[in-house]
Amino acid sequence: MPFVQVIEYESDQRDEVRKLNEQWAREHPDGGPSRFVMAEDRERPGHFVMVAEFDTYEQAMAHSGRPETGTYAERMRRLAKGDPRYVNLEVAQEGT
């Protein structure tokens, strides 16, 4: 069953966040989400939402357990104001 993780955070370092995500994608092309989106709220500049889609919950947990994922998360925390908010979702229905 597909699994989605949503991470919300505040940051005034937009360019550094983008660079960190680009670096991650270059250096770790395999074993991560099947789809990843980072978006900034148009009504609340500096409020970001990252959506990571995985084929399964188990794939997501294996990804989360990787040391390099922990390093990335810590670097992201340093760019954020306060703690990020995580929402872990089992996909109940998909459509087009």
Coordinates of all heavy atoms in Angstrom, one line a residue:
M1 N 0.8 -1.2 0.0 CA 0.0 0.0 0.0 C 0.9 1.2 0.0 O 1.8 1.3 0.8 CB -0.9 0.0 1.3 CG -1.7 1.2 1.4 SD -2.9 1.1 2.8 CE -3.9 -0.2 2.3
P2 N 0.6 2.2 -0.9 CA 1.4 3.4 -0.9 C 1.4 4.2 0.4 O 0.4 4.1 1.2 CB 0.8 4.2 -2.0 CG 0.1 3.2 -2.9 CD -0.4 2.2 -1.9
F3 N 2.5 4.9 0.7 CA 2.7 5.7 1.9 C 3.2 7.1 1.5 O 4.0 7.2 0.6 CB 3.7 5.0 2.8 CG 3.9 5.6 4.1 CD1 3.1 5.5 5.1 CD2 5.1 6.4 4.2 CE1 3.3 6.1 6.3 CE2 5.3 7.0 5.4 CZ 4.5 6.9 6.5
V4 N 2.7 8.1 2.2 CA 3.1 9.5 1.9 C 3.5 10.1 3.2 O 2.8 10.0 4.3 CB 1.9 10.3 1.3 CG1 2.3 11.7 1.1 CG2 1.5 9.7 0.0
Q5 N 4.6 10.8 3.2 CA 5.0 11.6 4.3 C 5.0 13.1 3.9 O 5.6 13.5 2.9 CB 6.4 11.2 4.8 CG 6.8 11.9 6.1 CD 8.1 11.4 6.6 OE1 9.1 11.5 6.0 NE2 8.0 10.8 7.8
V6 N 4.4 13.9 4.8 CA 4.3 15.3 4.6 C 5.1 16.0 5.7 O 4.9 15.7 6.9 CB 2.9 15.8 4.6 CG1 2.8 17.3 4.4 CG2 2.0 15.1 3.5
I7 N 6.0 16.9 5.3 CA 6.8 17.6 6.3 C 6.6 19.1 6.1 O 6.8 19.6 5.0 CB 8.3 17.3 6.1 CG1 8.5 15.8 6.2 CG2 9.1 18.0 7.2 CD1 9.8 15.3 5.7
E8 N 6.1 19.8 7.1 CA 5.9 21.2 7.1 C 7.0 21.9 7.9 O 7.3 21.4 9.0 CB 4.5 21.6 7.6 CG 3.4 21.1 6.8 CD 2.1 21.6 7.3 OE1 1.6 22.7 7.0 OE2 1.5 20.9 8.2
Y9 N 7.5 23.0 7.5 CA 8.4 23.8 8.3 C 8.5 25.2 7.8 O 8.0 25.6 6.7 CB 9.8 23.2 8.2 CG 10.4 23.1 6.8 CD1 11.2 24.1 6.4 CD2 10.0 22.1 5.9 CE1 11.7 24.1 5.1 CE2 10.5 22.1 4.6 CZ 11.4 23.1 4.2 OH 11.9 23.0 2.9
E10 N 9.0 26.1 8.6 CA 9.2 27.5 8.3 C 10.7 27.7 8.1 O 11.6 27.1 8.8 CB 8.8 28.4 9.5 CG 7.3 28.2 9.9 CD 6.3 28.7 8.9 OE1 6.6 29.7 8.2 OE2 5.2 28.1 8.9
S11 N 11.1 28.5 7.1 CA 12.5 28.9 6.9 C 12.6 30.2 6.1 O 11.7 30.4 5.2 CB 13.2 27.8 6.1 OG 14.5 28.1 5.8
D12 N 13.5 31.0 6.4 CA 13.8 32.2 5.7 C 15.0 32.0 4.8 O 15.6 32.9 4.3 CB 14.0 33.4 6.6 CG 15.0 33.2 7.6 OD1 15.8 32.2 7.6 OD2 15.2 34.1 8.4
Q13 N 15.4 30.7 4.6 CA 16.6 30.4 3.8 C 16.2 29.5 2.6 O 16.7 28.4 2.4 CB 17.6 29.6 4.7 CG 18.1 30.5 5.9 CD 19.1 29.8 6.7 OE1 20.2 29.4 6.2 NE2 18.8 29.5 8.0
R14 N 15.3 30.0 1.8 CA 14.8 29.3 0.6 C 15.8 28.8 -0.3 O 15.8 27.6 -0.7 CB 13.9 30.3 -0.1 CG 13.3 29.7 -1.4 CD 12.6 30.8 -2.3 NE 11.4 31.3 -1.5 CZ 11.2 32.6 -1.3 NH1 12.0 33.5 -1.8 NH2 10.2 33.0 -0.6
D15 N 16.8 29.6 -0.6 CA 17.9 29.1 -1.6 C 18.7 28.0 -1.0 O 19.0 27.0 -1.7 CB 18.8 30.2 -2.0 CG 18.1 31.3 -2.9 OD1 17.1 30.9 -3.5 OD2 18.5 32.4 -2.9
E16 N 19.0 28.0 0.3 CA 19.8 27.0 1.0 C 19.0 25.7 1.0 O 19.5 24.6 0.8 CB 20.2 27.4 2.4 CG 21.3 28.5 2.4 CD 20.8 29.9 2.1 OE1 19.5 30.1 2.0 OE2 21.6 30.8 2.1
V17 N 17.7 25.8 1.3 CA 16.8 24.6 1.3 C 16.8 24.0 -0.1 O 16.9 22.7 -0.2 CB 15.4 25.0 1.8 CG1 14.4 23.8 1.5 CG2 15.4 25.4 3.2
R18 N 16.6 24.8 -1.1 CA 16.6 24.3 -2.5 C 17.9 23.6 -2.8 O 17.9 22.5 -3.4 CB 16.3 25.4 -3.5 CG 16.2 24.9 -4.9 CD 16.1 26.1 -5.9 NE 17.0 27.2 -5.7 CZ 18.3 27.2 -6.0 NH1 18.8 26.1 -6.6 NH2 19.1 28.2 -5.8
K19 N 19.0 24.2 -2.5 CA 20.3 23.6 -2.8 C 20.5 22.3 -2.0 O 21.1 21.4 -2.6 CB 21.4 24.6 -2.4 CG 21.6 25.8 -3.3 CD 22.6 26.8 -2.8 CE 22.6 28.0 -3.6 NZ 23.5 29.0 -3.1
L20 N 20.1 22.2 -0.8 CA 20.2 21.0 0.0 C 19.4 19.9 -0.7 O 19.9 18.7 -0.8 CB 19.7 21.2 1.4 CG 19.8 20.0 2.3 CD1 21.2 19.4 2.4 CD2 19.2 20.3 3.7
N21 N 18.2 20.2 -1.1 CA 17.4 19.2 -1.8 C 18.0 18.7 -3.2 O 17.9 17.6 -3.5 CB 15.9 19.7 -2.0 CG 15.2 19.6 -0.7 OD1 15.3 18.7 0.1 ND2 14.4 20.7 -0.4
E22 N 18.5 19.7 -3.9 CA 19.2 19.3 -5.2 C 20.4 18.5 -4.9 O 20.6 17.5 -5.7 CB 19.6 20.6 -5.9 CG 18.4 21.3 -6.5 CD 18.7 22.7 -7.1 OE1 19.9 23.1 -7.0 OE2 17.8 23.3 -7.7
Q23 N 21.2 18.8 -3.9 CA 22.4 18.0 -3.6 C 21.9 16.6 -3.2 O 22.5 15.6 -3.6 CB 23.1 18.6 -2.4 CG 24.3 17.8 -2.0 CD 25.0 18.4 -0.7 OE1 24.6 19.4 -0.2 NE2 26.1 17.8 -0.3
W24 N 20.9 16.5 -2.4 CA 20.4 15.1 -2.0 C 20.0 14.3 -3.2 O 20.4 13.1 -3.3 CB 19.2 15.3 -1.0 CG 18.6 14.0 -0.7 CD1 17.5 13.4 -1.3 CD2 19.1 13.0 0.3 NE1 17.3 12.2 -0.7 CE2 18.2 11.9 0.2 CE3 20.1 13.0 1.2 CZ2 18.4 10.8 1.0 CZ3 20.2 11.9 2.0 CH2 19.4 10.8 1.9
A25 N 19.3 14.9 -4.1 CA 18.8 14.2 -5.3 C 20.0 13.7 -6.1 O 19.9 12.6 -6.7 CB 17.8 15.1 -6.1
R26 N 21.0 14.5 -6.3 CA 22.2 14.2 -7.0 C 22.9 13.0 -6.4 O 23.4 12.1 -7.1 CB 23.1 15.4 -7.2 CG 23.0 16.2 -8.4 CD 24.2 17.1 -8.6 NE 24.8 17.7 -7.3 CZ 24.3 18.8 -6.7 NH1 23.3 19.4 -7.1 NH2 24.9 19.2 -5.6
E27 N 23.1 13.1 -5.1 CA 24.0 12.2 -4.4 C 23.3 10.9 -4.0 O 24.0 9.9 -3.7 CB 24.6 12.8 -3.1 CG 25.5 14.0 -3.5 CD 26.1 14.7 -2.3 OE1 25.7 14.3 -1.1 OE2 26.8 15.7 -2.4
H28 N 21.9 10.9 -3.9 CA 21.2 9.7 -3.5 C 20.0 9.4 -4.4 O 18.9 9.6 -4.0 CB 20.7 9.9 -2.1 CG 21.8 10.3 -1.1 ND1 22.6 9.4 -0.6 CD2 22.1 11.5 -0.6 CE1 23.5 10.0 0.2 NE2 23.2 11.3 0.2
P29 N 20.3 9.0 -5.7 CA 19.2 8.9 -6.6 C 18.4 7.6 -6.4 O 17.2 7.5 -6.8 CB 20.0 8.7 -8.0 CG 21.3 8.2 -7.6 CD 21.6 8.8 -6.3
D30 N 18.9 6.6 -5.6 CA 18.1 5.4 -5.4 C 17.7 5.2 -3.9 O 18.4 5.7 -3.0 CB 19.0 4.2 -5.8 CG 19.3 4.3 -7.3 OD1 18.5 4.7 -8.1 OD2 20.5 3.9 -7.6
G31 N 16.7 4.4 -3.7 CA 16.3 4.1 -2.3 C 15.4 5.1 -1.6 O 15.0 4.9 -0.5
G32 N 15.1 6.2 -2.3 CA 14.3 7.2 -1.6 C 12.9 7.2 -2.1 O 12.4 6.2 -2.6
P33 N 12.2 8.3 -2.0 CA 10.8 8.3 -2.4 C 10.7 8.1 -3.9 O 11.6 8.4 -4.7 CB 10.4 9.8 -2.1 CG 11.4 10.4 -1.2 CD 12.7 9.5 -1.4
S34 N 9.5 7.5 -4.3 CA 9.2 7.4 -5.7 C 8.9 8.7 -6.3 O 9.0 8.9 -7.5 CB 8.1 6.4 -5.9 OG 7.0 6.7 -5.2
R35 N 8.4 9.7 -5.5 CA 8.1 11.0 -6.0 C 8.3 12.0 -4.8 O 8.1 11.6 -3.6 CB 6.6 11.1 -6.4 CG 6.2 12.4 -6.9 CD 4.8 12.3 -7.6 NE 4.1 13.6 -7.6 CZ 4.3 14.6 -8.4 NH1 5.2 14.4 -9.4 NH2 3.6 15.7 -8.4
F36 N 8.9 13.1 -5.1 CA 9.2 14.1 -4.1 C 8.8 15.5 -4.6 O 9.1 15.9 -5.7 CB 10.7 14.1 -3.7 CG 11.1 15.2 -2.8 CD1 10.9 15.0 -1.4 CD2 11.7 16.3 -3.3 CE1 11.3 16.0 -0.6 CE2 12.1 17.3 -2.4 CZ 11.9 17.2 -1.1
V37 N 8.1 16.3 -3.8 CA 7.7 17.6 -4.1 C 8.0 18.5 -2.9 O 7.7 18.2 -1.8 CB 6.2 17.7 -4.5 CG1 5.8 19.2 -4.7 CG2 5.9 16.9 -5.6
M38 N 8.7 19.7 -3.2 CA 8.8 20.7 -2.2 C 8.1 21.9 -2.7 O 8.3 22.3 -3.9 CB 10.3 21.1 -2.0 CG 10.5 22.1 -0.9 SD 12.2 22.6 -0.6 CE 12.3 23.9 -1.9
A39 N 7.2 22.5 -1.9 CA 6.4 23.7 -2.3 C 6.4 24.7 -1.2 O 6.6 24.4 0.0 CB 5.0 23.2 -2.6
E40 N 6.3 26.0 -1.6 CA 6.2 27.1 -0.7 C 4.8 27.6 -0.7 O 4.2 27.8 -1.8 CB 7.2 28.2 -1.0 CG 7.2 29.3 0.0 CD 8.3 30.3 -0.2 OE1 9.0 30.3 -1.3 OE2 8.5 31.2 0.6
D41 N 4.2 27.9 0.4 CA 2.9 28.4 0.5 C 2.8 29.8 -0.1 O 3.6 30.7 0.4 CB 2.4 28.4 2.0 CG 1.0 28.7 2.2 OD1 0.4 29.5 1.5 OD2 0.4 28.1 3.2
R42 N 2.0 30.1 -1.0 CA 1.9 31.4 -1.6 C 1.3 32.4 -0.7 O 1.7 33.6 -0.8 CB 0.9 31.3 -2.9 CG 1.5 30.5 -4.0 CD 0.6 30.5 -5.2 NE 0.4 31.8 -5.7 CZ 1.0 32.3 -6.8 NH1 1.8 31.5 -7.5 NH2 0.7 33.5 -7.2
E43 N 0.5 32.0 0.2 CA -0.1 33.0 1.2 C 0.7 33.2 2.4 O 0.5 34.2 3.2 CB -1.5 32.5 1.6 CG -2.6 32.8 0.6 CD -2.6 31.9 -0.6 OE1 -2.4 30.7 -0.4 OE2 -2.7 32.4 -1.7
R44 N 1.7 32.3 2.7 CA 2.6 32.4 3.8 C 4.0 32.2 3.4 O 4.5 31.1 3.5 CB 2.2 31.4 4.9 CG 0.8 31.6 5.5 CD 0.4 30.6 6.5 NE 1.3 29.5 6.7 CZ 0.9 28.4 7.4 NH1 -0.3 28.3 7.9 NH2 1.7 27.3 7.5
P45 N 4.6 33.2 2.8 CA 6.0 33.0 2.4 C 6.9 32.5 3.5 O 6.7 33.0 4.7 CB 6.4 34.4 1.9 CG 5.1 35.1 1.5 CD 4.1 34.5 2.5
G46 N 7.8 31.6 3.2 CA 8.6 31.0 4.2 C 8.1 29.8 4.8 O 8.7 29.1 5.7
H47 N 6.8 29.4 4.5 CA 6.2 28.2 5.0 C 6.3 27.1 3.8 O 5.8 27.3 2.8 CB 4.7 28.4 5.3 CG 4.1 27.2 5.8 ND1 4.1 26.8 7.1 CD2 3.4 26.2 5.2 CE1 3.5 25.6 7.3 NE2 3.0 25.3 6.1
F48 N 7.0 26.1 4.1 CA 7.3 25.0 3.1 C 6.6 23.7 3.5 O 6.4 23.4 4.6 CB 8.8 24.8 3.0 CG 9.5 26.0 2.4 CD1 10.0 27.0 3.3 CD2 9.8 26.1 1.1 CE1 10.7 28.0 2.8 CE2 10.4 27.2 0.6 CZ 10.9 28.1 1.4
V49 N 6.2 23.0 2.4 CA 5.7 21.7 2.6 C 6.4 20.8 1.6 O 6.6 21.0 0.5 CB 4.2 21.7 2.2 CG1 3.6 20.2 2.3 CG2 3.4 22.6 3.1
M50 N 6.9 19.7 2.2 CA 7.6 18.6 1.4 C 6.7 17.4 1.4 O 6.2 17.0 2.5 CB 9.0 18.3 2.0 CG 9.9 19.5 1.8 SD 11.6 19.3 2.5 CE 11.8 17.7 3.0
V51 N 6.5 16.8 0.3 CA 5.7 15.6 0.1 C 6.5 14.5 -0.5 O 7.1 14.7 -1.6 CB 4.4 15.9 -0.7 CG1 3.6 14.6 -0.9 CG2 3.6 17.0 -0.2
A52 N 6.7 13.5 0.3 CA 7.5 12.3 -0.2 C 6.6 11.1 -0.3 O 6.0 10.7 0.6 CB 8.7 12.0 0.8
E53 N 6.5 10.6 -1.5 CA 5.6 9.4 -1.8 C 6.5 8.2 -1.9 O 7.5 8.2 -2.6 CB 4.9 9.6 -3.1 CG 3.9 10.8 -3.1 CD 3.2 11.0 -4.4 OE1 3.2 10.1 -5.2 OE2 2.6 12.1 -4.6
F54 N 6.1 7.1 -1.2 CA 6.8 5.9 -1.3 C 5.8 4.8 -1.7 O 4.6 4.9 -1.5 CB 7.3 5.5 0.2 CG 8.4 6.5 0.7 CD1 8.0 7.6 1.4 CD2 9.7 6.2 0.4 CE1 9.0 8.5 1.9 CE2 10.7 7.1 0.9 CZ 10.3 8.2 1.6
D55 N 6.4 3.7 -2.3 CA 5.6 2.6 -2.8 C 4.9 1.9 -1.6 O 3.8 1.4 -1.7 CB 6.4 1.6 -3.6 CG 6.9 2.3 -4.9 OD1 6.2 3.2 -5.4 OD2 7.9 1.9 -5.4
T56 N 5.7 1.8 -0.5 CA 5.2 1.1 0.7 C 5.7 1.8 2.0 O 6.7 2.5 2.0 CB 5.7 -0.4 0.8 OG1 7.1 -0.4 0.9 CG2 5.3 -1.1 -0.5
Y57 N 5.0 1.5 3.1 CA 5.4 2.0 4.4 C 6.8 1.5 4.7 O 7.7 2.2 5.2 CB 4.4 1.6 5.5 CG 4.9 1.8 6.9 CD1 4.8 3.1 7.4 CD2 5.4 0.8 7.7 CE1 5.2 3.4 8.7 CE2 5.8 1.1 9.0 CZ 5.7 2.4 9.5 OH 6.1 2.6 10.8
E58 N 7.1 0.2 4.4 CA 8.3 -0.4 4.7 C 9.5 0.3 4.0 O 10.6 0.5 4.5 CB 8.3 -1.9 4.3 CG 7.4 -2.7 5.2 CD 5.9 -2.6 4.9 OE1 5.5 -2.1 3.8 OE2 5.1 -2.9 5.9
Q59 N 9.2 0.7 2.7 CA 10.3 1.4 1.9 C 10.6 2.7 2.6 O 11.7 3.1 2.7 CB 9.8 1.6 0.5 CG 10.8 2.4 -0.3 CD 10.2 2.8 -1.7 OE1 9.0 2.9 -1.9 NE2 11.1 3.2 -2.6
A60 N 9.5 3.4 3.1 CA 9.7 4.7 3.8 C 10.5 4.5 5.0 O 11.4 5.3 5.3 CB 8.3 5.3 4.1
M61 N 10.2 3.5 5.8 CA 10.9 3.3 7.1 C 12.4 2.9 6.8 O 13.3 3.3 7.5 CB 10.2 2.2 7.9 CG 8.9 2.6 8.4 SD 8.9 4.2 9.4 CE 8.4 5.4 8.2
A62 N 12.6 2.1 5.8 CA 14.0 1.7 5.4 C 14.8 3.0 5.0 O 15.9 3.2 5.4 CB 14.0 0.7 4.3
H63 N 14.1 3.9 4.3 CA 14.7 5.2 3.9 C 15.0 6.0 5.1 O 16.1 6.6 5.2 CB 13.8 5.9 2.9 CG 14.3 7.2 2.5 ND1 15.4 7.5 1.7 CD2 13.8 8.5 2.9 CE1 15.5 8.8 1.6 NE2 14.6 9.4 2.2
S64 N 14.1 6.1 6.0 CA 14.2 6.9 7.2 C 15.4 6.4 8.1 O 16.0 7.2 8.8 CB 12.9 6.9 8.1 OG 12.0 7.6 7.4
G65 N 15.6 5.1 8.1 CA 16.6 4.5 8.9 C 18.1 4.6 8.4 O 19.0 4.3 9.1
R66 N 18.2 5.1 7.2 CA 19.5 5.3 6.6 C 20.3 6.4 7.3 O 19.7 7.5 7.5 CB 19.4 5.6 5.1 CG 18.9 4.4 4.3 CD 18.5 4.7 2.9 NE 19.5 5.4 2.1 CZ 19.4 5.9 0.9 NH1 18.2 5.9 0.3 NH2 20.4 6.5 0.3
P67 N 21.6 6.2 7.6 CA 22.3 7.3 8.3 C 22.3 8.6 7.5 O 22.2 9.7 8.0 CB 23.7 6.7 8.4 CG 23.6 5.3 8.3 CD 22.4 5.0 7.4
E68 N 22.4 8.5 6.1 CA 22.5 9.7 5.3 C 21.2 10.5 5.3 O 21.1 11.7 5.2 CB 22.9 9.4 3.9 CG 22.1 8.4 3.2 CD 22.6 6.9 3.3 OE1 23.2 6.6 4.3 OE2 22.2 6.1 2.4
T69 N 20.0 9.7 5.5 CA 18.8 10.4 5.7 C 18.7 11.2 7.0 O 18.2 12.3 7.0 CB 17.6 9.4 5.6 OG1 17.7 8.7 4.4 CG2 16.3 10.1 5.7
G70 N 19.3 10.6 8.0 CA 19.3 11.3 9.3 C 20.2 12.6 9.2 O 19.9 13.6 9.8
T71 N 21.3 12.5 8.5 CA 22.2 13.7 8.3 C 21.4 14.8 7.5 O 21.5 15.9 7.9 CB 23.5 13.2 7.5 OG1 24.1 12.2 8.3 CG2 24.4 14.4 7.3
Y72 N 20.7 14.4 6.5 CA 19.9 15.3 5.7 C 18.9 16.0 6.6 O 18.7 17.2 6.5 CB 19.3 14.6 4.5 CG 18.2 15.4 3.9 CD1 18.4 16.3 2.9 CD2 16.8 15.1 4.2 CE1 17.4 17.1 2.3 CE2 15.8 15.9 3.7 CZ 16.1 16.8 2.7 OH 15.1 17.6 2.2
A73 N 18.2 15.2 7.4 CA 17.1 15.8 8.2 C 17.7 16.8 9.2 O 17.1 17.8 9.5 CB 16.4 14.6 9.0
E74 N 18.9 16.5 9.8 CA 19.5 17.4 10.7 C 19.9 18.7 10.0 O 19.8 19.8 10.5 CB 20.7 16.7 11.3 CG 21.4 17.6 12.3 CD 20.5 18.2 13.4 OE1 19.6 17.4 13.9 OE2 20.7 19.3 13.8
R75 N 20.4 18.6 8.8 CA 20.8 19.8 8.0 C 19.6 20.6 7.7 O 19.6 21.8 7.8 CB 21.5 19.4 6.7 CG 22.9 18.8 7.0 CD 23.6 18.4 5.8 NE 23.9 19.5 4.9 CZ 24.3 19.4 3.6 NH1 24.5 18.2 3.1 NH2 24.5 20.5 2.9
M76 N 18.5 19.9 7.4 CA 17.2 20.6 7.1 C 16.7 21.3 8.4 O 16.2 22.5 8.3 CB 16.2 19.6 6.6 CG 14.9 20.3 6.2 SD 15.0 21.5 4.8 CE 15.2 20.4 3.5
R77 N 16.8 20.7 9.5 CA 16.4 21.3 10.8 C 17.2 22.6 11.1 O 16.6 23.5 11.6 CB 16.6 20.3 12.0 CG 15.4 19.6 12.4 CD 15.6 18.7 13.6 NE 15.0 17.4 13.3 CZ 15.6 16.3 13.0 NH1 16.9 16.3 13.0 NH2 15.0 15.2 12.7
R78 N 18.4 22.6 10.7 CA 19.2 23.8 11.0 C 18.8 25.0 10.1 O 19.0 26.1 10.4 CB 20.7 23.5 10.8 CG 21.3 22.8 12.0 CD 22.8 22.6 11.8 NE 22.9 21.2 11.4 CZ 23.9 20.7 10.7 NH1 24.9 21.5 10.4 NH2 24.0 19.5 10.4
L79 N 18.2 24.7 8.9 CA 17.7 25.7 8.0 C 16.3 26.2 8.4 O 15.8 27.2 8.0 CB 17.7 25.2 6.6 CG 19.0 24.9 6.0 CD1 18.8 24.2 4.6 CD2 19.9 26.1 5.9
A80 N 15.6 25.4 9.3 CA 14.2 25.7 9.6 C 14.2 26.5 10.9 O 15.1 26.5 11.7 CB 13.5 24.4 9.9
K81 N 13.1 27.2 11.0 CA 12.8 28.0 12.3 C 11.9 27.0 13.1 O 10.7 26.8 12.7 CB 12.0 29.3 12.0 CG 12.7 30.3 11.2 CD 11.8 31.5 11.0 CE 12.3 32.4 10.0 NZ 11.4 33.5 9.8
G82 N 12.4 26.5 14.2 CA 11.6 25.6 15.0 C 11.6 24.2 14.4 O 12.3 23.9 13.4
D83 N 10.8 23.3 15.0 CA 10.8 21.9 14.6 C 9.8 21.7 13.4 O 8.7 22.3 13.4 CB 10.4 21.0 15.8 CG 11.4 21.0 16.9 OD1 12.6 21.1 16.5 OD2 11.0 20.9 18.0
P84 N 10.2 20.9 12.5 CA 9.3 20.5 11.4 C 8.1 19.7 12.0 O 8.2 19.1 13.0 CB 10.1 19.7 10.4 CG 11.3 19.3 11.2 CD 11.5 20.2 12.4
R85 N 7.0 19.7 11.3 CA 5.8 18.9 11.6 C 5.7 17.8 10.6 O 5.7 18.1 9.4 CB 4.6 19.8 11.5 CG 3.3 19.1 11.8 CD 2.1 20.0 11.7 NE 0.9 19.3 11.8 CZ 0.0 19.0 10.8 NH1 0.3 19.5 9.6 NH2 -1.1 18.3 11.0
Y86 N 5.6 16.6 11.1 CA 5.6 15.4 10.2 C 4.2 14.8 10.2 O 3.6 14.7 11.3 CB 6.5 14.3 10.7 CG 8.0 14.7 10.5 CD1 8.7 15.4 11.4 CD2 8.7 14.2 9.4 CE1 10.0 15.7 11.3 CE2 10.0 14.5 9.2 CZ 10.7 15.3 10.1 OH 12.0 15.6 10.0
V87 N 3.7 14.5 9.1 CA 2.4 13.8 8.9 C 2.6 12.6 8.1 O 3.1 12.6 7.0 CB 1.3 14.7 8.2 CG1 0.0 14.0 8.1 CG2 1.2 16.0 9.0
N88 N 2.3 11.4 8.7 CA 2.5 10.1 8.0 C 1.2 9.5 7.6 O 0.3 9.3 8.4 CB 3.3 9.1 8.9 CG 4.7 9.7 9.3 OD1 5.4 10.0 8.4 ND2 4.9 9.8 10.5
L89 N 1.1 9.3 6.3 CA -0.2 8.9 5.7 C -0.2 7.6 4.9 O 0.6 7.4 4.0 CB -0.7 10.0 4.7 CG -0.7 11.5 5.3 CD1 -0.8 12.5 4.2 CD2 -1.8 11.6 6.3
E90 N -1.1 6.7 5.2 CA -1.4 5.6 4.4 C -2.3 6.0 3.3 O -3.4 6.7 3.6 CB -2.1 4.4 5.2 CG -1.2 3.8 6.3 CD -0.2 2.9 5.7 OE1 -0.3 2.5 4.5 OE2 0.7 2.5 6.5
V91 N -2.0 5.7 2.1 CA -2.9 6.1 1.0 C -4.1 5.3 1.0 O -4.0 4.0 0.9 CB -2.1 6.1 -0.4 CG1 -3.1 6.4 -1.5 CG2 -0.9 7.0 -0.4
A92 N -5.3 5.9 1.1 CA -6.6 5.2 1.1 C -7.2 5.0 -0.3 O -7.9 4.1 -0.5 CB -7.5 5.9 2.0
Q93 N -6.9 6.0 -1.1 CA -7.4 6.0 -2.5 C -6.6 6.9 -3.4 O -6.1 7.9 -3.0 CB -8.9 6.5 -2.4 CG -9.6 6.5 -3.8 CD -11.1 6.9 -3.6 OE1 -11.5 7.2 -2.5 NE2 -11.8 6.9 -4.7
E94 N -6.5 6.4 -4.6 CA -5.7 7.2 -5.6 C -6.6 7.4 -6.8 O -7.5 6.6 -7.1 CB -4.5 6.5 -6.1 CG -3.4 6.4 -5.0 CD -2.1 5.8 -5.5 OE1 -1.3 6.6 -6.1 OE2 -2.0 4.6 -5.4
G95 N -6.4 8.5 -7.6 CA -7.2 8.7 -8.8 C -6.5 9.7 -9.7 O -5.4 10.2 -9.3
T96 N -7.1 10.0 -10.8 CA -6.5 11.0 -11.7 C -7.4 12.2 -11.8 O -8.5 12.1 -11.5 CB -6.2 10.4 -13.1 OG1 -7.5 9.9 -13.6 CG2 -5.2 9.3 -13.0

